[in-house]
Amino acid sequence: MTTLDPHSRAARRGMSDLAIRNLFIIPTIVFLIVFNIFPLLYSLGYSFTDFRASTNASWNFVGLENYRTLLNDPFIWNNFAITAKYVIVSVTGQVIVGFGVAMLLNREIPFKGLITTLLLLPMMLSMAVVGLFWKLLYDPSFGIINYALGLGRFEWLSNPDVALYAVALTDIWMWSPFVMLLSLAGLSAVPKHLYEAAAIDRAGPLYTFFRITLPLVAPILMIAIIFRTMEAFKTFDLAYILTSQPTTEVISIRLYKMAFQEWQTGLSCALAYIMLIMVIAITNIYVKYLNKVKER
């Protein structure tokens, strides 16, 4: 009877393991190509045409004309300005509230686990549910916010001056728990002996915060800011559900109207890629700053 060389058996076993791994990996790669990469390339092709999905008319290749049209349109730049304002207010509020609550929870308190779980509930809700819920809270007739603040029949969502801030406040309420969760993880990882050494040296709370707590938590806080900035830049649901004010028409709503109400498919695809480039650029700036923070 012929006996196989041990090296030959190991090689066959290695080939078998490789075949099993490929059996799991290849379907995933095919799925990503079909449902992610292919639509991206397909829409990229449309961005160079005057294609309209509402008609059966033939489309023409227009090159960079769609991009030139959008970049020279003052209304589009106004939408970007509204979006930038919304992102700054929303993300700043989430970082302040989320990190502040994490600082309060980073100590031994009764029912800490239960409190943390309850605070995480808003981010687990659907955007549509949150939008409709806060629309009722902002209602000038029976909304609890006006009653609690004693504002009478103040119009939150109909007032063009405060509507964007009302939407941002809703986003802060929903996503501050996300920042809180990451910040709490970072705070719990700070070595306790650093605080003990600071206490021995009689360092004040501000010195301890700015020289120990903030520098050590900054990398994970930057990760939270990166994720929330990307999501806030793409915000559509809350602004669309809560109000239809021109001052709250973020760039995602402008894209939606252009694509599905005006049926300017080629132009809307170009706008989507301009948004993508901006998000990538902003993310790269954050990542470079994050790397600098880690090197300190």
Side-chain angles (χ1 to χ4, degrees), residues 76-84 233 251 271 274-275 278:
I76 293 295
W77 284 110
N78 183 54
N79 294 130
F80 276 118
I82 293 170
T83 305
F233 193 88
I251 195 64
L271 180 57
I274 291 174
M275 288 177 59
M278 286 189 171

Side-chain angles (χ1 to χ4, degrees), residues 8-286:
S8 176
R9 287 201 300 268
R12 289 188 179 183
R13 189 163 53 249
M15 288 294 292
S16 175
D17 293 342
L18 182 61
I20 292 173
R21 285 198 297 269
N22 289 339
L23 188 64
F24 285 97
I25 293 172
I26 290 174
T28 305
I29 294 173
V30 172
F31 179 85
L32 289 174
I33 291 173
V34 172
F35 290 98
N36 285 338
I37 299 175
F38 176 72
L40 280 172
L41 296 177
Y42 200 67
S43 59
L44 178 61
Y46 274 143
S47 71
F48 299 110
T49 69
D50 60 357
F51 175 69
R52 285 176 174 267
S54 59
T55 64
N56 293 323
S58 59
W59 49 268
N60 301 305
F61 180 79
V62 295
L64 297 174
E65 184 59 33
N66 287 335
Y67 293 92
R68 279 195 292 266
T69 301
L70 291 170
L71 294 176
N72 291 323
D73 188 346
F75 295 104
I76 293 295
W77 284 110
N78 183 54
N79 294 130
F80 276 118
I82 293 170
T83 305
K85 185 178 179 181
Y86 173 81
V87 170
I88 292 170
V89 173
S90 177
V91 176
T92 302
Q94 290 168 30
V95 171
I96 293 173
V97 174
F99 189 69
V101 174
M103 289 284 291
L104 293 174
L105 291 176
N106 188 39
R107 61 190 70 189
E108 294 300 324
I109 57 175
F111 308 107
K112 179 179 176 180
L114 177 62
I115 294 171
T116 305
T117 303
L118 292 175
L119 290 174
L120 293 175
L121 288 178
M123 61 180 278
M124 300 178 188
L125 299 174
S126 164
M127 280 281 196
V129 172
V130 171
L132 293 172
F133 172 68
W134 275 81
K135 198 169 187 177
L136 294 175
L137 294 180
Y138 284 130
D139 190 275
S141 300
F142 53 82
I144 195 172
I145 292 180
N146 282 348
Y147 177 77
L149 298 177
L151 297 176
R153 296 177 61 86
F154 183 78
E155 297 279 352
W156 287 89
L157 301 177
S158 301
N159 189 333
D161 296 327
V162 299
L164 186 68
Y165 297 104
V167 178
L169 179 62
T170 306
D171 199 45
I172 291 169
W173 175 84
M174 184 174 185
W175 289 108
S176 290
F178 175 78
V179 181
M180 178 204 74
L181 189 63
L182 291 185
S183 300
L184 201 55
L187 289 169
S188 61
V190 177
K192 302 297 180 185
H193 65 83
L194 296 178
Y195 293 116
E196 293 170 359
I200 293 172
D201 293 338
R202 296 184 178 181
L206 287 178
Y207 182 91
T208 304
F209 176 77
F210 286 106
R211 292 302 182 95
I212 298 176
T213 305
L214 193 58
L216 293 178
V217 181
I220 200 164
L221 195 60
M222 279 299 302
I223 293 172
I225 292 172
I226 289 171
F227 279 109
R228 288 312 311 146
T229 300
M230 289 192 294
E231 290 301 318
F233 193 88
K234 300 182 295 181
T235 292
F236 171 81
D237 317 60
L238 286 181
Y240 189 78
I241 292 170
L242 284 171
T243 179
S244 58
Q245 290 292 322
T247 54
T248 62
E249 191 177 277
V250 292
I251 195 64
S252 295
I253 294 180
R254 176 67 265 181
L255 175 61
Y256 167 78
K257 290 180 178 179
M258 190 179 292
F260 301 108
Q261 293 182 0
E262 302 167 9
W263 295 104
Q264 301 183 72
T265 310
L267 205 61
S268 61
C269 288
L271 180 57
Y273 271 90
I274 291 174
M275 288 177 59
L276 177 63
I277 292 169
M278 286 189 171
V279 170
I280 292 173
I282 294 170
T283 305
N284 282 335
I285 293 171
Y286 278 138

